[in-house]
Amino acid sequence: MLGNMMSKPLLISSILTHAEQVHGKAEIVTRTVEGPIHRYTYTDAAKRTKQLANALNSMGVELGDRIATLAWNTYRHYETYYAISCIGAITHTINPRLFPEQIVYIANHAEDKVLFLDLTFVPLVEALQDKMGTIEKYVIMTDREHMPETTLPNVICYEELIAEESDQIVWPEFDENTAAGLCYTSGTTGNPKGALYSHRSTVLHTYAAAMPDSIGCGNADALLPVVPMFHVFAWGVPYFATMVGAKIVFPGPHMDGESLHELIEGEQVTTMLGVPTVWLGLLDYLRSKDIKLSSVKKSIIGGSAAPLGMIKEFQETHDVFVLHAWGMTELSPLGCTNSYNQAMANISLEERYKMQLKQGRPVFGIEFKVVNDAGEALPHDGKSYGRLLVRGPWVVSAYFRNDDMSSFEDGWFDTGDVVTMDENANIQIVDRKKDVIKSGGEWISSIDLENIAVSHPDVKEACVIGVKHPKWDERPLLFIVKQDEADLTKEEILDFVGNQVATWWKPDDVVFVDELPHTATGKLLKLSLREEYMDHLMG
Ligand code: ADP
């Protein structure tokens, strides 16, 4: 017997409509690409989004068309998110930090029809344009006054595109499983792979992300997504902030410590979200000026492991709780969060920090399973580690236009992460499967060693890879970027790390470097280091 309830499809347009009707006066503030601060309300945003949607319809954009963006976190990018998906086309965000040949590959693979781009990326797109065969029109996201001279064909100015359009529209209704958004993984090996989200998966992810013990977001919050809108839809901020009517503060392309600080204080940001690297810059700046943050309550850190030193500094200097979270492009991206919970209430700060190093517990909707290589479930003892498999309504079931099903088994998606799970269902990422160091048949976590190394005051960044060893197969090699003017020796850092781990985990050598390679999403790019240093210990 079926229930008697209405079966209204879960569509992204309902999020915007709700915000317009219920949270009309809440603000969206942007530090624009052109420079000045732009400020408007959800009512204004909804009107302009409808104008853009009408413009897309006039342009001939149809259900299922892929419309690409190459843009920073701004109000115009926000408008494209909604306008494209709400008419049934697919918002395809492209990460400008990818290698140019990857950008070309992605645009062609997706068969993008129109590209919306920020002023910053005009030269990049001019250089690639003749290789991106399917794009018919380029919309530069600015006004007439700032339109550049360009060799791009069929160029349209964003403000001119929407100016004459009506701000009324009846959003179409279609199947909630219709594709809404497309995002490619940055892929450290091989070509990027596309995760194609649906309206249903996006709306469910939005509910889940807003819940108090998940990312947690309410109407009184002011959110600063430093995580880019070109990477996994800024972790869903443009959706869940809109659903609850929180203020959104978009940093545009200005993500240095000084600009972020000005925006945080000026707009009284309560919650900020980003990968560890951006917070290094902010914390450096605050330390150098001896400033404390006054309004921020929570810093959501994910994408890479949040280092202990960062968790401590946010708490002790700025009274900011670090909410460590784990996710991936294939999960829209939210998988688990380590929110403030009962177990943290009556313990010392030092003990709490240890808990916060874990990535947390699955949010409702996502199921986790930790298995060994034979596929057998491992005990939840916080020690046994194995592959993390996940499933749920916002997890990909295949890659877009890709026959490779090697990451999918029996209805589960293999994340490629090696984790432990404790008795309270907290997971801790031990390593990426491909980064774990196999020394004499035992596993060493490169992430653990990196975390310890960066907790040394003279260390700015650390990276550990496994390199060939004549006796042990693989041994850890540590790379260090020193703090400016630090006078750190090999012996000092090796002792510092060695004293905090089992003897056989101590790295065999240290290489001091000026900088480390990163992927387009700010993760350490270990592949090139491995190639260069593979024989470092082979004598
Ligand atoms: P991309 O695929 O573009 O590199 P993703 O955001 O999809 O970017 O990367 C997901 C991976 O990032 C995860 O599988 C995991 O290895 C790593 N990751 C994400 N969050 C964390 C975290 N909090 N701690 C450690 N690793 C993380």
Side-chain angles (χ1 to χ4, degrees):
M1 190 187 290
L2 295 179
N4 281 339
M5 309 311 283
M6 296 183 186
S7 70
K8 211 168 162 357
L10 300 175
L11 298 179
I12 290 174
S13 52
S14 64
I15 302 176
L16 188 65
T17 303
H18 176 74
E20 189 186 4
Q21 292 171 350
V22 179
H23 311 300
K25 291 191 184 132
E27 278 185 318
I28 299 178
V29 180
T30 302
R31 193 193 292 278
T32 57
V33 177
E34 297 87 346
I37 298 278
H38 174 274
R39 187 181 294 279
Y40 71 174
T41 63
Y42 279 109
T43 303
D44 304 324
K47 276 189 183 160
R48 283 171 50 90
T49 300
K50 290 178 199 172
Q51 288 178 285
L52 176 58
N54 283 323
L56 292 170
N57 280 330
S58 317
M59 234 188 232
V61 171
E62 290 174 358
L63 202 75
D65 280 346
R66 273 76 63 203
I67 308 298
T69 66
L70 202 53
W72 300 109
N73 293 10
T74 72
Y75 68 103
R76 290 194 184 105
H77 202 179
Y78 174 93
E79 291 160 8
T80 64
Y81 262 43
Y82 279 95
I84 298 167
S85 304
C86 294
I87 61 166
I90 300 169
T91 311
H92 173 204
T93 55
I94 303 183
N95 184 338
R97 296 193 185 125
L98 291 170
F99 295 118
E101 55 274 26
Q102 289 181 317
I103 295 180
V104 169
Y105 170 85
I106 287 175
N108 288 334
H109 185 264
E111 295 188 68
D112 292 324
K113 195 165 173 180
V114 180
L115 173 64
F116 283 79
L117 67 155
D118 266 335
L119 282 169
T120 326
F121 306 118
V122 172
L124 173 70
V125 176
E126 281 176 344
L128 304 180
Q129 172 263 323
D130 60 353
K131 298 196 194 105
M132 300 196 288
T134 62
I135 298 175
E136 294 164 12
K137 293 194 169 77
Y138 295 88
V139 183
I140 301 185
M141 299 162 85
T142 191
D143 52 20
R144 172 52 46 199
E145 192 193 337
H146 292 91
M147 275 299 277
E149 287 282 322
T150 172
T151 56
L152 288 176
N154 301 326
V155 168
I156 304 168
C157 162
Y158 186 95
E159 291 302 327
E160 287 183 351
L161 175 70
I162 67 170
E164 301 301 321
E165 296 288 345
S166 158
D167 61 8
Q168 300 294 313
I169 200 168
V170 178
W171 293 119
E173 233 181 57
F174 35 74
D175 188 319
E176 64 183 15
N177 290 301
T178 303
L182 178 61
C183 189
Y184 283 73
T185 63
S186 51
T188 43
T189 51
N191 278 324
K193 289 182 275 188
L196 184 62
Y197 314 123
S198 67
H199 282 260
R200 175 186 154 81
S201 72
T202 306
V203 172
L204 292 175
H205 180 266
T206 304
Y207 276 118
M211 287 200 302
D213 277 339
S214 163
I215 284 179
C217 174
N219 188 254
D221 280 316
L223 266 68
L224 175 76
V226 185
V227 51
M229 290 172 78
F230 54 71
H231 183 57
V232 216
F233 290 82
W235 297 348
V237 172
Y239 302 117
F240 65 75
T242 306
M243 186 181 265
V244 302
K247 175 175 177 179
I248 309 181
V249 183
F250 285 128
H254 312 280
M255 285 176 279
D256 59 288
E258 185 173 4
S259 307
L260 289 179
H261 171 250
E262 197 185 296
L263 215 48
I264 291 167
E265 291 303 319
E267 302 303 328
Q268 291 290 287
V269 166
T270 62
T271 305
M272 43 194 207
L273 308 92
V275 297
T277 338
V278 296
W279 306 130
L280 284 178
L282 175 67
L283 289 171
D284 272 353
Y285 173 76
L286 297 174
R287 217 180 299 119
S288 73
K289 300 278 172 198
D290 200 14
I291 312 174
K292 289 191 191 346
L293 296 174
S294 71
S295 58
V296 182
K297 298 193 182 81
K298 241 178 2 188
S299 176
I300 321 291
I301 302 186
S304 302
L308 178 63
M310 186 172 285
I311 297 176
K312 260 180 142 162
E313 187 168 355
F314 266 126
Q315 187 63 57
E316 291 173 16
T317 311
H318 303 286
D319 203 14
V320 170
F321 180 81
V322 166
L323 191 150
H324 199 181
W326 170 91
M328 57 197 304
T329 306
E330 290 86 340
L331 273 81
S332 311
L334 199 56
C336 64
T337 54
N338 198 344
S339 56
Y340 186 83
N341 59 53
Q342 292 171 13
M344 291 181 184
N346 296 313
I347 53 176
S348 69
L349 265 184
E350 290 305 320
E351 278 177 81
R352 197 187 91 188
Y353 294 146
K354 270 192 226 147
M355 292 181 75
Q356 285 180 269
L357 283 172
K358 298 195 176 197
Q359 280 75 7
R361 301 189 280 183
V363 299
F364 172 73
I366 298 286
E367 287 173 79
F368 279 22
K369 187 159 81 165
V370 185
V371 299
N372 61 17
D373 279 340
E376 295 152 352
L378 292 171
H380 298 175
D381 57 8
K383 293 192 198 89
S384 314
Y385 45 80
R387 294 180 295 139
L388 173 63
L389 309 185
V390 298
R391 66 178 178 192
W394 57 86
V395 179
V396 290
S397 58
Y399 287 107
F400 179 54
R401 292 179 163 173
N402 191 323
D403 296 334
D404 180 4
M405 294 299 282
S406 55
S407 303
F408 303 91
E409 50 186 70
D410 301 332
W412 293 83
F413 170 71
D414 186 340
T415 62
D417 282 335
V418 174
V419 308
T420 60
M421 189 186 267
D422 68 19
E423 67 281 10
N424 297 318
N426 280 295
I427 67 146
Q428 183 152 22
I429 308 283
V430 175
D431 224 328
R432 290 293 288 167
K433 204 167 144 203
K434 58 184 182 344
D435 293 338
V436 120
I437 299 154
K438 292 160 202 97
S439 167
E442 297 286 344
W443 283 10
I444 297 174
S445 158
S446 64
I447 293 186
D448 279 1
L449 292 175
E450 286 159 7
N451 279 341
I452 294 170
V454 291
S455 68
H456 190 288
D458 286 344
V459 174
K460 195 183 227 165
E461 208 181 358
C463 174
V464 175
I465 58 167
V467 295
K468 275 195 227 156
H469 188 276
K471 182 167 174 201
W472 300 109
D473 216 12
E474 261 184 21
R475 289 295 302 156
L477 175 63
L478 171 63
F479 294 84
I480 294 285
V481 182
K482 288 190 234 182
Q483 295 282 12
D484 302 338
E485 289 158 34
D487 186 22
L488 181 69
T489 64
K490 271 191 185 186
E491 289 66 33
E492 272 176 84
I493 187 66
L494 278 178
D495 284 348
F496 179 81
V497 175
N499 286 338
Q500 301 182 56
V501 292
T503 345
W504 59 278
W505 274 46
K506 185 172 166 183
D508 282 30
D509 198 8
V510 181
V511 180
F512 290 107
V513 289
D514 291 337
E515 55 179 15
L516 286 163
H518 291 96
T519 68
T521 50
K523 295 188 219 310
L524 286 167
L525 186 57
K526 299 192 177 182
L527 199 69
S528 58
L529 288 176
R530 249 183 237 128
E531 276 166 11
E532 193 176 340
Y533 288 90
M534 194 37 91
D535 293 326
H536 185 80
L537 300 176
M538 296 300 277

Short mmCIF file of all heavy atoms in Angstrom, two decimals, residues 216-251:
data_model
loop_
_atom_site.label_atom_id
_atom_site.label_comp_id
_atom_site.label_asym_id
_atom_site.label_seq_id
_atom_site.Cartn_x
_atom_site.Cartn_y
_atom_site.Cartn_z
N GLY A 216 25.93 22.31 9.58
CA GLY A 216 25.20 23.13 10.54
C GLY A 216 25.10 24.57 10.08
O GLY A 216 26.10 25.29 10.06
N CYS A 217 23.92 24.98 9.68
CA CYS A 217 23.79 26.34 9.16
C CYS A 217 22.37 26.82 9.41
O CYS A 217 21.41 26.10 9.12
CB CYS A 217 24.09 26.29 7.67
SG CYS A 217 23.82 27.83 6.82
N GLY A 218 22.24 28.00 9.96
CA GLY A 218 20.92 28.54 10.26
C GLY A 218 20.78 29.96 9.74
O GLY A 218 21.73 30.55 9.22
N ASN A 219 19.58 30.48 9.93
CA ASN A 219 19.24 31.79 9.39
C ASN A 219 20.11 32.92 9.96
O ASN A 219 20.38 33.91 9.28
CB ASN A 219 17.75 32.05 9.69
CG ASN A 219 17.26 33.29 9.02
OD1 ASN A 219 17.06 34.31 9.67
ND2 ASN A 219 17.10 33.24 7.71
N ALA A 220 20.57 32.75 11.19
CA ALA A 220 21.35 33.83 11.81
C ALA A 220 22.83 33.78 11.41
O ALA A 220 23.62 34.62 11.82
CB ALA A 220 21.21 33.77 13.32
N ASP A 221 23.20 32.78 10.62
CA ASP A 221 24.61 32.64 10.26
C ASP A 221 25.01 33.53 9.08
O ASP A 221 24.18 33.89 8.25
CB ASP A 221 24.91 31.18 9.88
CG ASP A 221 25.10 30.31 11.09
OD1 ASP A 221 25.80 30.75 12.02
OD2 ASP A 221 24.53 29.21 11.13
N ALA A 222 26.29 33.86 9.06
CA ALA A 222 26.88 34.51 7.88
C ALA A 222 28.01 33.61 7.43
O ALA A 222 28.96 33.37 8.19
CB ALA A 222 27.40 35.89 8.25
N LEU A 223 27.90 33.09 6.23
CA LEU A 223 28.84 32.07 5.75
C LEU A 223 29.86 32.64 4.78
O LEU A 223 29.48 33.35 3.85
CB LEU A 223 28.07 30.97 5.00
CG LEU A 223 27.66 29.76 5.83
CD1 LEU A 223 26.61 30.15 6.85
CD2 LEU A 223 27.13 28.67 4.93
N LEU A 224 31.09 32.27 4.98
CA LEU A 224 32.15 32.67 4.04
C LEU A 224 32.68 31.41 3.36
O LEU A 224 33.51 30.70 3.93
CB LEU A 224 33.28 33.38 4.78
CG LEU A 224 34.51 33.74 3.93
CD1 LEU A 224 34.22 34.96 3.06
CD2 LEU A 224 35.73 34.02 4.80
N PRO A 225 32.19 31.09 2.16
CA PRO A 225 32.76 29.94 1.47
C PRO A 225 34.05 30.35 0.75
O PRO A 225 33.99 31.01 -0.27
CB PRO A 225 31.66 29.55 0.47
CG PRO A 225 30.87 30.80 0.25
CD PRO A 225 31.10 31.73 1.41
N VAL A 226 35.17 29.94 1.32
CA VAL A 226 36.44 30.18 0.62
C VAL A 226 36.68 29.00 -0.32
O VAL A 226 37.39 29.11 -1.31
CB VAL A 226 37.61 30.37 1.61
CG1 VAL A 226 38.89 30.74 0.87
CG2 VAL A 226 37.28 31.47 2.62
N VAL A 227 36.05 27.87 0.01
CA VAL A 227 36.10 26.74 -0.91
C VAL A 227 35.44 27.21 -2.21
O VAL A 227 34.36 27.80 -2.20
CB VAL A 227 35.39 25.50 -0.32
CG1 VAL A 227 34.01 25.82 0.20
CG2 VAL A 227 35.30 24.38 -1.35
N PRO A 228 36.14 27.01 -3.33
CA PRO A 228 35.66 27.61 -4.57
C PRO A 228 34.37 27.00 -5.13
O PRO A 228 34.13 25.81 -4.99
CB PRO A 228 36.80 27.36 -5.57
CG PRO A 228 37.91 26.75 -4.83
CD PRO A 228 37.41 26.28 -3.51
N MET A 229 33.59 27.85 -5.78
CA MET A 229 32.38 27.36 -6.44
C MET A 229 32.72 26.50 -7.66
O MET A 229 31.86 25.82 -8.19
CB MET A 229 31.50 28.54 -6.87
CG MET A 229 30.87 29.25 -5.68
SD MET A 229 30.03 30.77 -6.14
CE MET A 229 28.49 30.13 -6.81
N PHE A 230 33.98 26.53 -8.09
CA PHE A 230 34.36 25.66 -9.21
C PHE A 230 34.82 24.30 -8.71
O PHE A 230 35.28 23.47 -9.47
CB PHE A 230 35.43 26.31 -10.11
CG PHE A 230 36.67 26.80 -9.41
CD1 PHE A 230 37.60 25.91 -8.91
CD2 PHE A 230 36.94 28.16 -9.31
CE1 PHE A 230 38.76 26.35 -8.30
CE2 PHE A 230 38.09 28.63 -8.70
CZ PHE A 230 39.00 27.71 -8.19
N HIS A 231 34.75 24.07 -7.39
CA HIS A 231 35.11 22.75 -6.88
C HIS A 231 33.96 22.18 -6.05
O HIS A 231 33.67 22.66 -4.96
CB HIS A 231 36.38 22.84 -6.04
CG HIS A 231 36.84 21.50 -5.55
ND1 HIS A 231 37.10 20.46 -6.42
CD2 HIS A 231 37.03 21.01 -4.33
CE1 HIS A 231 37.44 19.40 -5.72
NE2 HIS A 231 37.40 19.71 -4.45
N VAL A 232 33.33 21.15 -6.56
CA VAL A 232 32.19 20.49 -5.89
C VAL A 232 31.18 21.51 -5.34
O VAL A 232 30.75 21.42 -4.20
CB VAL A 232 32.59 19.55 -4.74
CG1 VAL A 232 31.65 18.33 -4.74
CG2 VAL A 232 33.99 19.09 -4.80
N PHE A 233 30.81 22.47 -6.19
CA PHE A 233 29.75 23.41 -5.84
C PHE A 233 29.96 24.05 -4.47
O PHE A 233 29.02 24.20 -3.69
CB PHE A 233 28.38 22.72 -5.97
CG PHE A 233 28.04 22.45 -7.42
CD1 PHE A 233 28.55 21.34 -8.07
CD2 PHE A 233 27.27 23.34 -8.16
CE1 PHE A 233 28.30 21.09 -9.42
CE2 PHE A 233 27.01 23.10 -9.50
CZ PHE A 233 27.52 21.99 -10.14
N ALA A 234 31.22 24.41 -4.21
CA ALA A 234 31.56 25.07 -2.94
C ALA A 234 30.99 24.30 -1.75
O ALA A 234 30.46 24.88 -0.79
CB ALA A 234 31.11 26.53 -2.92
N TRP A 235 31.11 22.98 -1.82
CA TRP A 235 30.62 22.06 -0.78
C TRP A 235 29.11 22.22 -0.54
O TRP A 235 28.61 21.87 0.52
CB TRP A 235 31.40 22.24 0.54
CG TRP A 235 32.86 21.91 0.44
CD1 TRP A 235 33.51 21.28 -0.57
CD2 TRP A 235 33.88 22.20 1.42
NE1 TRP A 235 34.86 21.16 -0.30
CE2 TRP A 235 35.11 21.71 0.90
CE3 TRP A 235 33.87 22.82 2.66
CZ2 TRP A 235 36.32 21.83 1.59
CZ3 TRP A 235 35.07 22.94 3.35
CH2 TRP A 235 36.29 22.45 2.82
N GLY A 236 28.43 22.82 -1.49
CA GLY A 236 26.97 22.95 -1.37
C GLY A 236 26.51 24.23 -0.68
O GLY A 236 25.30 24.43 -0.50
N VAL A 237 27.44 25.12 -0.30
CA VAL A 237 27.06 26.36 0.40
C VAL A 237 25.97 27.15 -0.34
O VAL A 237 24.98 27.55 0.26
CB VAL A 237 28.29 27.27 0.66
CG1 VAL A 237 27.85 28.62 1.21
CG2 VAL A 237 29.27 26.59 1.59
N PRO A 238 26.11 27.36 -1.67
CA PRO A 238 25.09 28.18 -2.34
C PRO A 238 23.69 27.58 -2.24
O PRO A 238 22.70 28.29 -2.39
CB PRO A 238 25.57 28.20 -3.80
CG PRO A 238 27.04 27.95 -3.71
CD PRO A 238 27.20 26.99 -2.57
N TYR A 239 23.60 26.29 -1.98
CA TYR A 239 22.28 25.67 -1.82
C TYR A 239 21.81 25.72 -0.36
O TYR A 239 20.72 26.17 -0.07
CB TYR A 239 22.30 24.22 -2.32
CG TYR A 239 22.71 24.09 -3.77
CD1 TYR A 239 23.85 23.41 -4.15
CD2 TYR A 239 21.93 24.69 -4.77
CE1 TYR A 239 24.23 23.32 -5.48
CE2 TYR A 239 22.31 24.60 -6.10
CZ TYR A 239 23.46 23.91 -6.45
OH TYR A 239 23.83 23.81 -7.76
N PHE A 240 22.67 25.24 0.57
CA PHE A 240 22.12 25.15 1.93
C PHE A 240 22.03 26.51 2.61
O PHE A 240 21.13 26.73 3.43
CB PHE A 240 22.80 24.07 2.79
CG PHE A 240 24.26 24.26 3.12
CD1 PHE A 240 24.66 25.17 4.07
CD2 PHE A 240 25.22 23.47 2.52
CE1 PHE A 240 26.01 25.31 4.40
CE2 PHE A 240 26.57 23.60 2.83
CZ PHE A 240 26.96 24.53 3.77
N ALA A 241 22.90 27.45 2.26
CA ALA A 241 22.77 28.80 2.83
C ALA A 241 21.46 29.42 2.34
O ALA A 241 20.74 30.09 3.09
CB ALA A 241 23.95 29.67 2.43
N THR A 242 21.14 29.16 1.08
CA THR A 242 19.91 29.71 0.51
C THR A 242 18.68 29.07 1.15
O THR A 242 17.69 29.74 1.45
CB THR A 242 19.91 29.46 -1.02
OG1 THR A 242 21.12 29.99 -1.55
CG2 THR A 242 18.72 30.11 -1.70
N MET A 243 18.74 27.76 1.37
CA MET A 243 17.60 27.06 1.96
C MET A 243 17.22 27.65 3.31
O MET A 243 16.05 27.83 3.62
CB MET A 243 17.93 25.56 2.12
CG MET A 243 16.76 24.71 2.58
SD MET A 243 17.25 22.99 2.77
CE MET A 243 16.80 22.29 1.20
N VAL A 244 18.24 27.99 4.12
CA VAL A 244 17.94 28.52 5.46
C VAL A 244 17.95 30.05 5.50
O VAL A 244 17.65 30.65 6.52
CB VAL A 244 18.92 27.96 6.52
CG1 VAL A 244 18.87 26.45 6.56
CG2 VAL A 244 20.34 28.46 6.29
N GLY A 245 18.33 30.66 4.39
CA GLY A 245 18.35 32.13 4.33
C GLY A 245 19.50 32.76 5.09
O GLY A 245 19.39 33.88 5.59
N ALA A 246 20.62 32.05 5.18
CA ALA A 246 21.79 32.63 5.85
C ALA A 246 22.41 33.70 4.93
O ALA A 246 22.20 33.68 3.72
CB ALA A 246 22.82 31.54 6.13
N LYS A 247 23.16 34.61 5.54
CA LYS A 247 23.89 35.58 4.72
C LYS A 247 25.07 34.84 4.06
O LYS A 247 25.73 34.02 4.71
CB LYS A 247 24.40 36.68 5.65
CG LYS A 247 25.29 37.72 5.00
CD LYS A 247 25.59 38.79 6.06
CE LYS A 247 26.53 39.85 5.54
NZ LYS A 247 26.79 40.88 6.58
N ILE A 248 25.32 35.15 2.79
CA ILE A 248 26.47 34.54 2.12
C ILE A 248 27.47 35.65 1.82
O ILE A 248 27.09 36.73 1.34
CB ILE A 248 26.11 33.84 0.80
CG1 ILE A 248 24.94 32.88 0.97
CG2 ILE A 248 27.32 33.10 0.23
CD1 ILE A 248 24.54 32.15 -0.31
N VAL A 249 28.73 35.38 2.11
CA VAL A 249 29.79 36.35 1.85
C VAL A 249 30.77 35.71 0.87
O VAL A 249 31.49 34.78 1.23
CB VAL A 249 30.50 36.75 3.16
CG1 VAL A 249 31.55 37.81 2.90
CG2 VAL A 249 29.49 37.22 4.20
N PHE A 250 30.76 36.18 -0.37
CA PHE A 250 31.61 35.59 -1.41
C PHE A 250 32.92 36.38 -1.52
O PHE A 250 32.89 37.59 -1.75
CB PHE A 250 30.90 35.63 -2.76
CG PHE A 250 29.79 34.63 -2.93
CD1 PHE A 250 28.53 35.04 -3.36
CD2 PHE A 250 30.00 33.28 -2.69
CE1 PHE A 250 27.50 34.11 -3.54
CE2 PHE A 250 28.98 32.35 -2.87
CZ PHE A 250 27.73 32.76 -3.29
N PRO A 251 34.06 35.70 -1.41
CA PRO A 251 35.34 36.44 -1.45
C PRO A 251 35.84 36.80 -2.84
O PRO A 251 36.87 37.47 -2.96
CB PRO A 251 36.31 35.47 -0.78
CG PRO A 251 35.75 34.11 -1.05
CD PRO A 251 34.25 34.27 -1.13
#
